[in-house]
Amino acid sequence: MADLKAGLIGVGAMGRHHARVLRELPGVDLVAIADPGGDPYGVAGELEVLRDVDELIAAGIDMAVVAVPTRFHEEVGLALAAAGVHAMVEKPIAENGEAGARVAQAFKDAGLVGCVGHIERFNPALQEMRRRMEAGELGEVYQIATRRQGPFPARIADVGVVKDLGTHDIDLTAWVAQSPYASITAKTAHRSGRPHEDMVLATGQLQNGVIVNHIVNWLSPMKERLTMVTGERGAYVADTASADLTFYANGVIPTEWESITAFRGVSEGDIIRYAIAKREPLRVEHEAFRDAVLGVSNDVVTMEEGLRTLKVAEAVLDSAARGVTVEL
């Protein structure tokens, strides 16, 4: 079988990594690159840097990766769907829910693979966590908390921290727990002088009853990428920056310390850091997209899922603006 012909539109800070992985991916041939801003990182190589999505489509591609700024996702996505090109669109799926719905519907109507680049789902620590949770190793799940904070990335100009960073945590939380959000309450702050929010605290509940909490900001000198799941038998902590997964078990040894025995809670038990294979999440994500196009498997983040994540992000912003809990 001939290799799939792939195109890439957007070769900025994230697009350059897509270009590298597409070139390394078996069964895929990167044949076209487009970016109206040129090639700032010099990733095109021998390929001509095309001007827009129309020129990309004219190159005769089977599949495309969309890594342009969020405000252009709808325009580019709809053009690819109309041309019969399978696409992976970087998160969020679009600038707002209405645009995201139009993109998702266009790919559905055309019978094409359309997916969203929520890369954290392909992090080995989170994949191992979800596998163990599915196997019942944590027992009943009570709470999921995430912390995603660090310095401001100058490359982000068209959305705030909720739609950029926060959508990672919204998507991975619903995916790990295998349940959509039921409600969300949030507070945001604007501290950097930009029109968009740069800090958010959000608390909510999933439809399966699990309570969730997200701390996200662009104003911390300390970079964190943590997901903590507390359940009946202990807690998992996934550090997706290092792809480490640690299990903190509830203790089983009775205490004889009288002042502590009155507390009817859990005690500290064994701590295990699992040894897991650490493959690059972006490569695993691209493999899933390729295999979905080939009809081999369907492990991608669908556009419908990406749209649900965007709607939760918009509910976060709505809650913060109106000071209310938003039901989903």
Side-chain angles (χ1 to χ4, degrees):
M1 180 182 293
D3 287 352
L4 292 166
K5 293 180 180 179
L8 169 63
I9 182 164
V11 286
M14 190 63 195
R16 58 177 170 161
H17 297 298
H18 284 295
R20 170 181 55 82
V21 173
L22 283 167
R23 285 194 168 102
E24 298 171 350
L25 198 62
V28 173
D29 185 14
L30 179 61
V31 300
I33 283 177
D35 194 317
D39 185 14
Y41 296 99
V43 301
E46 296 180 356
L47 295 175
E48 177 188 358
V49 181
L50 305 174
R51 292 176 299 179
D52 54 32
V53 67
D54 294 329
E55 291 190 0
L56 192 76
I57 291 167
I61 56 175
D62 303 307
M63 56 190 283
V65 175
V66 179
V68 296
T70 304
R71 64 183 181 275
F72 300 120
H73 285 188
E74 180 185 12
E75 174 189 345
V76 172
L78 292 179
L80 291 169
V85 178
H86 306 283
M88 178 167 72
V89 180
E90 265 298 344
K91 59 83 195 162
I93 183 174
E95 191 171 20
N96 55 60
E98 292 77 11
R102 288 190 289 269
V103 173
Q105 191 64 47
F107 279 86
K108 181 179 180 180
D109 291 345
L112 296 165
V113 173
C115 56
V116 184
H118 283 289
I119 194 171
E120 288 285 50
R121 280 206 203 182
F122 301 93
N123 189 286
L126 290 176
Q127 291 199 330
E128 180 70 7
M129 175 196 284
R130 188 176 190 261
R131 185 190 69 78
R132 290 179 177 275
M133 289 169 64
E134 280 186 310
E137 295 184 19
L138 191 61
E140 183 182 354
V141 178
Y142 301 151
Q143 179 188 60
I144 300 176
T146 67
R147 298 205 305 263
R148 187 174 300 271
Q149 48 192 348
F152 172 68
R155 63 184 178 85
I156 304 297
D158 55 346
V159 293
V161 74
V162 172
K163 289 185 179 180
D164 184 66
L165 282 191
T167 49
H168 280 305
D169 292 319
I170 293 167
D171 177 75
L172 73 84
T173 296
W175 177 72
V176 163
Q178 301 183 57
S179 177
Y181 282 70
S183 63
I184 199 79
T185 306
K187 297 293 184 182
T188 58
H190 298 69
R191 300 296 185 187
S192 61
R194 298 172 64 250
H196 301 291
E197 79 290 343
D198 42 41
M199 308 185 84
V200 62
L201 296 176
T203 300
Q205 189 167 33
L206 305 181
Q207 288 186 11
N208 63 1
V210 173
I211 56 174
V212 302
N213 183 70
H214 307 304
I215 298 175
V216 190
N217 75 66
W218 272 328
L219 295 177
S220 171
M222 173 185 63
K223 187 173 181 177
E224 279 192 312
R225 299 289 187 266
L226 295 179
T227 300
M228 295 150 283
V229 181
T230 303
E232 182 180 4
R233 296 174 184 166
Y236 288 124
V237 177
D239 185 333
T240 55
S242 62
D244 287 324
L245 177 63
T246 305
F247 176 55
Y248 294 81
N250 291 342
V252 294
I253 301 173
T255 181
E256 297 179 1
W257 188 357
E258 184 177 355
S259 63
I260 292 179
T261 57
F263 174 66
R264 296 180 179 274
V266 300
S267 60
E268 294 180 355
D270 294 332
I271 301 173
I272 304 169
R273 191 174 75 178
Y274 297 109
I276 57 178
K278 295 183 179 181
R279 302 187 65 219
E280 182 185 5
L282 187 62
R283 184 181 176 92
V284 180
E285 181 179 52
H286 272 278
E287 290 174 350
F289 178 35
R290 174 202 62 194
D291 291 348
V293 171
L294 293 172
V296 174
S297 63
N298 189 24
D299 295 326
V300 296
V301 182
T302 67
M303 286 188 167
E304 289 75 16
E305 291 174 308
L307 179 58
R308 284 200 295 270
T309 293
L310 178 55
K311 288 182 175 179
V312 175
E314 291 185 325
V316 168
L317 295 172
D318 182 32
S319 171
R322 297 193 293 126
V324 299
T325 296
V326 176
E327 305 292 333
L328 290 143

